[in-house]
Amino acid sequence: METSSPTSPESSPGRFRRWRGTAIAAVLACGLGVTAVAFTQNASAATAWPSAKGLVKVSATTNVSGTFDGGLKRYFGIGDGGQGESQDPMFKLADGATLKNVIIGAPAGDGVHCSGSCTLVNVWWEDVGEDAATFKGGTSARYTVDGGGARSASDKVFQHNGGGTLTVRNFQVSDFGKLYRSCGNCKTQYKRTVVLQNITASAPGKSLAGINTNFGDTATFSGITIVGDSKKKLAICDRFTGNNTGAEPPKTGSGADGKNCFFSASDITYK
């Protein structure tokens, strides 16, 4: 969600998104256990999408404190799979919690909410509804997304409403709007930091990150591979002037500027 308001102007109109039901592309490499998925550290290393090891239909949010290991089962059943605001999340993580080895199917409501610092390891979103994950901690919060992937996100994948630093590494995304967005019109605003490392992004997609320069946001990129975008339409880093009034924030620029958006040509590979 972009804001706590059910009528956020930056959100797409609420609509039903039917799960596309496409077959999962490949199984994990032979011999790997549930927790032994290897993430290589080069720009083109996208791990194969895992096959679900079971189905778990839920009717209410699962609250997580400590560590929750989903055993690579597919969890689904919250919301309608659409972009409607204020849907409940599939998982709500307490400060310091870890969610790992989970496949989130559809419908999945508002995905994952992190109330404070959190860690997501090997989490896969098969069909993003409202958002894949929303980060709501304070100024000192630290969030890490390590491994996993998301696809079919008509708007945002990662929504940063709180403060602190989000690091996303060894992640793949396809058919998406924005991989990351620092909230442009939340009632309470923060300086936010995002670090994107070893990301494989497959077109179509609009942007990897959107940040608010007037609040001091920064975005740093390394090991980025963009697939299927020969005309280079996918923006790496979009800059906005954010507000706390709920108004739609104006875009002020795009690309590396050495002040808020940090990357060089060698950090981006096109395939």
Side-chain angles (χ1 to χ4, degrees):
M1 295 184 292
E2 190 73 4
T3 74
S4 57
S5 168
T7 56
S8 167
E10 275 215 333
S11 298
S12 300
R15 63 185 179 86
F16 182 77
R17 277 172 42 85
R18 186 175 55 189
W19 182 34
R20 302 182 182 186
T22 12
I24 295 173
V27 295
L28 291 172
C30 183
L32 289 178
V34 167
T35 60
V37 179
F39 301 110
T40 55
Q41 298 296 321
N42 63 74
S44 62
T47 304
W49 275 78
S51 295
K53 297 183 181 296
L55 301 177
V56 180
K57 185 175 182 179
V58 300
S59 58
T61 298
T62 299
N63 293 295
V64 178
S65 59
T67 298
F68 181 96
D69 189 330
L72 277 181
K73 294 178 181 178
R74 178 183 294 118
Y75 289 76
F76 67 101
I78 298 286
D80 63 6
Q83 281 289 307
E85 292 287 347
S86 302
Q87 295 186 67
D88 291 332
M90 178 72 70
F91 295 95
K92 184 176 181 180
L93 275 60
D95 186 26
T98 296
L99 179 69
K100 62 191 299 186
N101 301 319
V102 170
I103 298 172
I104 297 179
D110 200 29
V112 177
H113 284 188
C114 285
S115 302
S117 297
C118 68
T119 302
L120 309 181
V121 180
N122 198 31
V123 177
W124 302 83
W125 290 265
E126 291 182 332
D127 191 335
V128 176
E130 189 176 352
D131 298 316
T134 303
F135 304 96
K136 298 183 171 187
T139 56
S140 62
R142 296 293 182 267
Y143 325 94
T144 300
V145 177
D146 193 353
R151 54 192 181 193
S152 299
S154 62
D155 193 8
K156 302 172 295 292
V157 177
F158 297 128
Q159 176 70 34
H160 197 166
N161 286 355
T165 299
L166 169 63
T167 300
V168 183
R169 56 179 179 246
N170 310 316
F171 193 81
Q172 58 184 287
V173 61
S174 61
D175 188 13
F176 64 104
K178 310 173 188 74
L179 175 58
Y180 168 88
R181 181 65 171 104
S182 172
C183 184
N185 50 18
C186 283
K187 184 177 294 186
T188 301
Q189 290 287 23
Y190 302 85
K191 176 187 182 298
R192 305 181 179 101
T193 300
V194 62
V195 179
L196 299 177
Q197 304 171 329
N198 193 31
I199 306 296
T200 299
S202 298
K206 293 181 180 178
S207 67
L208 291 184
I211 61 173
N212 307 308
T213 57
N214 57 316
F215 297 131
D217 292 355
T218 61
T220 304
F221 305 80
S222 62
I224 307 297
T225 297
I226 298 177
V227 180
D229 184 30
S230 59
K231 295 184 178 180
K232 298 183 179 180
K233 292 184 177 181
L234 175 62
I236 305 302
C237 187
D238 285 335
R239 300 186 295 276
F240 296 84
T241 297
N243 63 76
N244 62 358
T245 66
E248 185 172 359
K251 182 178 173 180
T252 59
S254 187
D257 63 355
K259 182 179 180 181
N260 300 97
C261 296
F262 296 95
F263 63 93
S264 62
S266 62
D267 294 311
I268 315 297
T269 300
Y270 289 87
K271 290 191 173 182

